[in-house]
């Protein structure tokens, strides 16, 4: 069975992606590992894919998205890195792979993912919910249950499909939705790619909701998952192998929420410390913090989120300014300066 596994990121997340792909390579050396990058290398950084722990790079600009500059401008960095996941997985269905797996760049494997392939013998779509056990504590309900209600029942830091049958049908549907409706707009019922997948069990057959606690462990489900380390070094969660951890919001916020729900479960802190060391080792000093090539107009002026939203909402502006990143006479930037928001 040919497996293609990919992650979507910018260069500011290259350090995390390197850790992900290193752990994937350790457990699954036969999988094809693909980096999907919506970015351009920063000046001063000599990016050579041959030196990286993935097999190849696919640049978002090469996915064949119509009017790419116009489409890209409508999104902030999080929105666009999730939006491109749909076109890629749809195109992967015609790539010769039998299975396509997506993992967020801030995840890392601690055990093999072989059970996924066994489940895909009988199912075409695999999803992991944020929660598999109910919370009883009011604070945990506020932090975790209600958060999942707002952002999506399933965490799309992971999805796996067979590239035929219902898996291929899902990939085409997700492609279409994310090309047009992948925004962080909760009042409109959108939270990037995730809220769409609330519909998946209703719209598609052969869907498996993974209720094994070893998958997609993260701060939002630590209230119901206990991590332990066996004498032989195996890491377990609720008594089963810990397959992969989602180190979301690495930094002060992630630390705060992890400490809040890990409590005295000390192996959690050991895992976070291990991951932080790997990320530090994988960090390139030449990549500026929070770098993204598409964060600014051509003259270097940062693009404000309301400017992207205005362009997204106005088809007349999209028609008038097919490359909204341009600066100078006749540009969208000039129009904003004269017309205002």
């Amino acid at each position: 069975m040919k497996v293609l596994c990919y992650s979507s990121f910018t260069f500011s997340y290259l350090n995390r992606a390197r850790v992900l792909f290193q752990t994937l390579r350790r457990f699954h050396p036969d999988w094809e590992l693909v980096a999907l990058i919506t970015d351009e290398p920063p000046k001063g950084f000599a990016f050579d894919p041959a030196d990286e722990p993935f097999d190849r790079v696919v640049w978002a600009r090469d996915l064949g998205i119509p009017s790419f500059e116009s489409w890209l401008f409508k999104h902030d960095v999080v929105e666009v890195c999730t939006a491109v996941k749909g076109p890629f997985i749809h195109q992967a269905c015609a790539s010769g792979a039998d299975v396509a797996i997506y993992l967020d760049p801030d995840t890392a494997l601690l055990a093999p993912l072989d059970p996924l392939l066994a489940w895909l013998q009988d199912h075409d779509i695999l999803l992991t919910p944020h929660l598999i056990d109910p919370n009883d504590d009011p604070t945990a309900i506020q932090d975790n249950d209600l958060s999942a209600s707002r952002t999506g029942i399933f965490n799309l830091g992971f999805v796996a499909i067979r590239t035929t049958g219902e898996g291929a049908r899902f990939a085409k549907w997700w492609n279409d939705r994310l090309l047009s409706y992948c925004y962080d707009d909760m009042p409109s019922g959108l939270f990037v790619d995730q809220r769409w997948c609330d519909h998946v069990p209703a719209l598609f057959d052969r869907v498996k909701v993974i209720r094994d606690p070893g998958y997609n462990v993260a701060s939002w489900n630590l209230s119901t998952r206990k991590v332990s380390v066996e004498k032989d070094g195996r890491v377990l969660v609720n008594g089963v192998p810990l397959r992969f951890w989602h180190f979301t919001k690495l930094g002060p916020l992630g630390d705060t929420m992890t400490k809040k729900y890990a409590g005295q479960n000390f192996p959690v802190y050991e895992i976070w410390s291990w991951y932080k060391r790997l990320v530090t080792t994988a960090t390139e000093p030449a990549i500026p913090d929070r770098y993204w090539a598409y964060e600014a107009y051509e003259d270097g002026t940062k693009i404000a989120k309301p400017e992207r939203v205005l362009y997204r909402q106005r088809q007349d502006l999209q028609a008038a300014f097919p490359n909204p990143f341009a600066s100078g006479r006749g540009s969208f930037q000039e129009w904003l300066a004269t017309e205002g928001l």
Side-chain angles (χ1 to χ4, degrees):
M1 181 177 289
K2 181 179 178 181
V3 178
L4 183 158
C5 185
Y6 74 107
S7 189
S8 175
F9 56 94
T10 63
F11 279 102
S12 64
Y13 264 60
L14 178 62
N15 52 2
R16 296 161 175 80
R18 283 172 167 171
V19 174
L20 166 64
F21 286 118
Q22 286 164 2
T23 61
L24 278 163
R25 184 68 76 206
R26 174 189 172 194
F27 291 109
H28 298 287
D30 55 330
W31 288 8
E32 182 183 17
L33 307 181
V34 182
L36 173 58
I37 301 179
T38 310
D39 209 350
E40 301 290 341
K43 293 180 180 178
F45 172 51
F47 178 59
D48 185 353
D51 294 333
E52 301 293 340
F54 35 81
D55 295 306
R56 61 187 175 98
V57 173
V58 172
W59 302 97
R61 64 171 178 263
D62 295 330
L63 288 173
I65 298 171
S67 306
F68 180 69
E69 287 81 9
S70 176
W71 178 84
L72 173 58
F73 189 91
K74 300 173 188 177
H75 304 80
D76 65 23
V77 63
V78 175
E79 291 169 342
V80 81
C81 282
T82 47
V84 295
K85 289 157 59 176
F88 182 91
I89 202 168
H90 173 50
Q91 294 174 29
C93 290
S95 70
D98 301 298
V99 168
I101 299 172
Y102 174 80
L103 285 166
D104 263 358
D106 54 357
T107 57
L109 273 63
L110 289 95
L113 300 182
D114 296 317
L116 299 180
L117 304 186
W119 286 325
L120 285 169
Q121 297 296 322
D122 300 312
H123 304 85
D124 287 357
I125 305 164
L126 306 180
L127 295 171
T128 48
H130 283 99
L131 304 173
I132 59 171
D133 294 295
N135 285 296
D136 297 319
D137 177 73
T139 300
I141 292 170
Q142 288 286 336
D143 286 344
N144 302 316
D145 299 56
L146 292 178
S147 175
S149 295
R150 291 189 296 270
T151 63
I153 298 302
F154 303 103
N155 181 265
L156 268 296
F158 163 83
V159 63
I161 64 167
R162 289 192 66 90
T163 57
T164 55
E166 290 291 88
R169 196 165 74 88
F170 160 80
K172 175 62 168 63
W173 169 83
W174 207 34
N175 167 82
D176 295 347
R177 291 296 180 270
L178 299 192
L179 283 175
S180 300
Y181 306 101
C182 188
Y183 304 120
D184 184 353
D185 185 3
M186 289 189 190
S188 298
L190 297 174
F191 183 69
V192 290
D193 59 336
Q194 287 189 168
R195 288 297 303 274
W196 284 114
C197 285
D198 289 353
H199 296 279
V200 168
L203 297 178
F204 301 94
D205 291 322
R206 296 175 62 85
V207 178
K208 179 174 177 60
V209 175
I210 297 175
R211 299 194 66 253
D212 183 317
Y215 293 81
N216 225 341
V217 180
S219 58
W220 57 73
N221 52 43
L222 274 180
S223 59
T224 60
R225 302 193 191 186
K226 182 176 177 57
V227 180
S228 60
V229 180
E230 301 297 286
K231 291 182 180 179
D232 61 4
R234 289 183 304 132
V235 183
L236 306 182
V237 54
N238 292 3
V240 302
L242 197 167
R243 301 291 178 179
F244 69 86
W245 196 292
H246 194 156
F247 298 90
T248 187
K249 293 180 172 60
L250 188 68
L253 181 57
D255 288 347
T256 297
M257 296 306 292
T258 298
K259 290 175 182 177
K260 184 174 184 178
Y261 288 107
Q264 300 299 305
N265 192 187
F266 294 112
V268 172
Y269 304 110
E270 295 178 18
I271 292 169
W272 268 79
S273 179
W274 164 79
Y275 181 72
K276 287 179 178 179
R277 291 194 301 271
L278 291 178
V279 169
T280 298
T281 300
T283 298
E284 289 285 346
I287 300 177
D289 187 44
R290 297 183 181 276
Y291 169 83
W292 187 38
Y294 302 115
E295 68 176 356
Y297 296 102
E298 288 178 354
D299 67 0
T301 302
K302 294 289 181 66
I303 301 166
K305 181 66 177 284
E307 296 167 4
R308 294 184 185 273
V309 173
L310 177 67
Y311 185 81
R312 174 199 309 170
Q313 294 172 339
R314 296 270 302 269
Q315 292 189 0
D316 59 328
L317 296 178
Q318 296 166 32
F321 307 107
N323 180 9
F325 291 97
S327 298
R329 184 176 297 277
S331 66
F332 176 60
Q333 185 185 24
E334 182 190 56
W335 180 89
L336 284 171
T338 57
E339 298 294 330
L341 286 174

